[in-house]
Amino acid sequence: MMVDELAARRIERTGSARTSPDIASEVAKDPGRDVHFPPHSSIFREGDAVGCVYQVRSGSIMLYKLLPDGRRQVVEVVGPGDVFGFSPVWIHDCSAQTLVATECIAFDRSLLERSPTLLWRLSSRLYQQLCALHEHVTLLGRKSARERIASFLMRCIPDRGGNDCHGPRGGDDEAHVRLAMTRSEIADYLGLTIETVSRNLTQLKRRGLVSISKLDEITVHDVCRLCLLTGSLSGAARRRGTQSQVASSRLCDRLG
Amino acid sequence: MMVDELAARRIERTGSARTSPDIASEVAKDPGRDVHFPPHSSIFREGDAVGCVYQVRSGSIMLYKLLPDGRRQVVEVVGPGDVFGFSPVWIHDCSAQTLVATECIAFDRSLLERSPTLLWRLSSRLYQQLCALHEHVTLLGRKSARERIASFLMRCIPDRGGNDCHGPRGGDDEAHVRLAMTRSEIADYLGLTIETVSRNLTQLKRRGLVSISKLDEITVHDVCRLCLLTGSLSGAARRRGTQSQVASSRLCDRLG
DNA sequence: CGATTATTTGAAATCGCTCAAGTTGGGTGG
DNA sequence: CCACCCAACTTGAGCGATTTCAAATAATCG
């Protein structure tokens, strides 16, 4: 996304204007306390002081950074089980905004330090998210627009496209996807413009791979064929129709 | 326990990879095995079974993924203090290769599960690396080639470009950088081609911002001016000549 | 010193971006 | 229920940054 003050302001507005006042950041300091955030609400902003670590129970949240000229990059989309909100320097390194209504648990660091079990789970999650980020870095650094869109859609389909993909079940190979992100958010997640996102979705539609009933409701008619477009399938896997990639991040568990 | 907590806290406060206390220090038990890797040697490959978690003591390692058609993306460059080699599914999600001679400590999973202190430090490190990846995702998703090169060079200069940048010291504002990566590795790290990397370095040279004595030895003549090209400075900061970004990852601590 | 590889440089092609309409869809009020 | 509005999305045309392809030059190593 490009530049200008307007764009920057528009981006900032989408979060706080659509709904309620900022859930004044960092209200939840009680150890292990449950917190609920409405859809499209800002949780904290880059530069804010860090209070606690959050783990998502349900819903999904996008973490993003803004360049000074207004360009935005969605750096992570976190969902159930994922953790966020901590930073080694006690200042948030990015902003957080819910995509849908979201429930989190807020942990005080002292609690984490006292509970090895909790800490172990936290570490496992962190590694998982690190691997997901590796995958995303690869997408951003080396994949074409079409491959990015295909990868994005595949990540929205549960149990498919991973190394444990069971392949088509039954006769057809359909999947229904409900997007929790606008075109603009998808674009900023995939490092593209909204026009490119739109055009590539249209292209998939014209090729008969998907149909788009509502803006945020997409039916994938041939999951395997879509998977071939992600750029992540080896030649051998292409012939077998299976996935070669390991530990690809699943967005399907993070949206909705 | 109190001592450990304080130590852990110190690690977090200081934040950046500049301080690199071993996560095993002050742990009475088995401190983990020391391992040494020669330059340009492969440590493991994507898909290999996970044995243990490594922490870098000295040197630097690049983590990369390969797409089936041969495209490569360097997803992370880890240096002193950083951890790598773990994966939630017990299969490496990427390959690891040393850039220079590197010393690591290898930790067993069981050791981590038994030592909360170790685990806490591991988590702190993981968060730090997560923030660095956020920064890198932003670079890949939203920055131009010139901005990527400028950002890359800035990250190779200690104590500059961060939010704690002290600005020019003394009359000149020079810095000497020794690259531990080839053009090809830099390209695969920044999501560019070798030609684009080369062209942009040449451009910086022609503009008098840097000079390149040997292929891997670059002198930055005006650090502040280079910093202006990273795309990470706000208008206000540009005028002040200071950095607005928070918790930017420092490559200077990770190379050579 | 020659062979080999890495890097630089040039010219042409291309993919994605920018700018500018046009269209759709959800919400509001008559 | 319909007309209208506004924001979000789609579509089109032209442009430009980066890639691709193809040398030429520089560095490295026996």
Side-chain angles (χ1 to χ4, degrees):
Chain A
M1 166 169 294
M2 216 30 224
V3 195
D4 78 27
E5 302 254 4
L6 275 168
R9 226 173 311 163
R10 175 155 26 82
I11 288 168
E12 283 303 338
R13 222 177 10 189
T14 48
S16 27
R18 266 201 231 167
T19 14
S20 64
D22 280 22
I23 307 294
S25 354
E26 317 301 350
V27 282
K29 277 225 169 182
D30 285 357
R33 176 181 164 180
D34 286 317
V35 211
H36 181 270
F37 301 104
H40 311 293
S41 60
S42 169
I43 298 178
F44 53 74
R45 288 181 198 232
E46 186 175 344
D48 286 354
V50 167
C52 49
V53 186
Y54 297 95
Q55 183 174 39
V56 180
R57 292 191 105 153
S58 68
S60 64
I61 290 167
M62 78 178 171
L63 308 181
Y64 63 92
K65 287 169 85 79
L66 292 174
L67 291 178
D69 60 7
R71 283 175 288 182
R72 178 177 68 172
Q73 178 66 44
V74 174
V75 294
E76 227 180 330
V77 176
V78 294
D82 289 329
V83 293
F84 69 100
F86 194 64
S87 158
V89 291
W90 295 103
I91 291 177
H92 287 297
D93 77 307
C94 58
S95 307
Q97 194 169 308
T98 59
L99 294 171
V100 298
T102 301
E103 286 176 348
C104 297
I105 320 175
F107 297 109
D108 214 42
R109 62 167 281 160
S110 59
L111 182 64
L112 283 170
E113 288 177 52
R114 273 194 299 273
S115 168
T117 313
L118 206 56
L119 197 52
W120 176 256
R121 287 195 203 138
L122 174 75
S123 298
S124 302
R125 271 297 161 180
L126 286 178
Y127 262 118
Q128 215 161 300
Q129 288 173 239
L130 213 60
C131 292
L133 273 178
H134 288 168
E135 191 75 27
H136 197 56
V137 161
T138 304
L139 178 145
L140 292 173
R142 287 292 175 241
K143 288 192 178 181
S144 70
R146 180 194 293 172
E147 289 171 329
R148 294 183 201 198
I149 296 291
S151 300
F152 176 75
L153 287 178
M154 282 305 297
R155 290 186 192 180
C156 294
I157 304 173
D159 303 323
R160 299 299 301 277
N163 57 330
D164 56 345
C165 179
H166 52 61
R169 278 216 208 293
D172 60 355
D173 193 17
E174 275 199 359
H176 294 270
V177 169
R178 171 168 217 131
L179 303 176
M181 300 167 83
T182 65
R183 298 290 186 274
S184 167
E185 287 161 350
I186 294 170
D188 288 345
Y189 184 46
L190 301 181
L192 301 169
T193 60
I194 51 175
E195 293 95 332
T196 301
V197 170
S198 179
R199 270 186 258 271
N200 280 85
L201 281 174
T202 304
Q203 207 180 336
L204 288 179
K205 200 166 61 182
R206 263 203 292 270
R207 290 176 58 174
L209 273 149
V210 307
S211 46
I212 305 176
S213 41
K214 288 172 56 181
L215 281 176
D216 62 343
E217 280 177 6
I218 295 180
T219 303
V220 179
H221 295 116
D222 190 337
V223 177
C224 279
R225 205 140 68 86
L226 180 68
C227 195
L228 293 176
L229 300 179
T230 60
S232 294
L233 282 188
S234 72
R238 295 173 78 106
R239 267 169 258 123
R240 287 200 313 278
T242 59
Q243 164 76 292
S244 72
Q245 289 300 296
V246 171
S248 65
S249 72
R250 320 297 337 282
L251 256 178
C252 50
D253 305 319
R254 298 186 177 158
L255 297 175
Chain B
M1 191 53 170
M2 199 51 198
V3 172
D4 287 336
E5 280 186 25
L6 283 172
R9 206 167 310 207
R10 175 157 30 83
I11 289 170
E12 270 161 5
R13 286 256 173 65
T14 50
S16 91
R18 221 163 294 137
T19 58
S20 52
D22 299 340
I23 58 179
S25 60
E26 299 174 37
V27 174
K29 290 184 175 184
D30 179 7
R33 293 173 285 121
D34 284 318
V35 209
H36 181 269
F37 301 103
H40 310 293
S41 60
S42 171
I43 299 179
F44 53 75
R45 286 177 202 242
E46 186 175 345
D48 285 354
V50 168
C52 49
V53 185
Y54 297 94
Q55 184 179 36
V56 180
R57 291 191 105 154
S58 68
S60 65
I61 290 167
M62 76 177 173
L63 308 180
Y64 63 92
K65 287 169 83 79
L66 291 175
L67 291 178
D69 61 6
R71 284 175 287 182
R72 177 178 70 170
Q73 177 66 45
V74 173
V75 294
E76 225 179 331
V77 176
V78 294
D82 289 330
V83 293
F84 71 99
F86 193 64
S87 158
V89 292
W90 297 104
I91 290 177
H92 287 298
D93 77 306
C94 57
S95 308
Q97 195 169 308
T98 58
L99 294 172
V100 297
T102 301
E103 286 176 347
C104 296
I105 319 173
F107 298 105
D108 241 29
R109 174 202 165 117
S110 57
L111 182 63
L112 283 171
E113 287 179 49
R114 273 197 304 274
S115 169
T117 308
L118 204 57
L119 198 51
W120 174 256
R121 292 178 189 171
L122 175 74
S123 299
S124 301
R125 274 294 162 182
L126 286 177
Y127 261 118
Q128 218 162 293
Q129 288 174 238
L130 215 60
C131 292
L133 273 178
H134 288 169
E135 192 75 27
H136 198 55
V137 162
T138 303
L139 177 146
L140 292 173
R142 286 294 175 242
K143 288 192 177 180
S144 70
R146 180 194 296 173
E147 289 171 329
R148 294 182 201 198
I149 296 291
S151 301
F152 176 75
L153 287 178
M154 282 305 298
R155 290 185 192 181
C156 295
I157 304 175
D159 304 322
R160 299 300 300 276
N163 59 329
D164 55 347
C165 179
H166 53 61
R169 278 219 208 293
D172 59 355
D173 193 18
E174 275 199 358
H176 194 242
V177 169
R178 171 168 218 132
L179 303 177
M181 301 167 81
T182 65
R183 298 291 186 271
S184 167
E185 287 161 351
I186 294 170
D188 287 347
Y189 184 48
L190 302 180
L192 302 168
T193 59
I194 50 174
E195 292 94 333
T196 302
V197 170
S198 179
R199 271 186 257 271
N200 280 85
L201 281 175
T202 304
Q203 208 180 334
L204 289 179
K205 200 166 60 181
R206 265 202 291 268
R207 290 176 57 174
L209 274 150
V210 306
S211 46
I212 305 176
S213 41
K214 287 174 56 183
L215 282 176
D216 61 344
E217 279 178 4
I218 296 180
T219 303
V220 179
H221 295 117
D222 190 339
V223 177
C224 279
R225 204 140 69 86
L226 180 67
C227 195
L228 293 175
L229 300 178
T230 60
S232 294
L233 281 188
S234 72
R238 295 174 78 104
R239 266 169 259 121
R240 286 200 313 277
T242 60
Q243 164 78 288
S244 73
Q245 289 298 296
V246 171
S248 65
S249 71
R250 320 297 334 283
L251 217 65
C252 50
D253 306 312
R254 298 184 177 159
L255 295 176

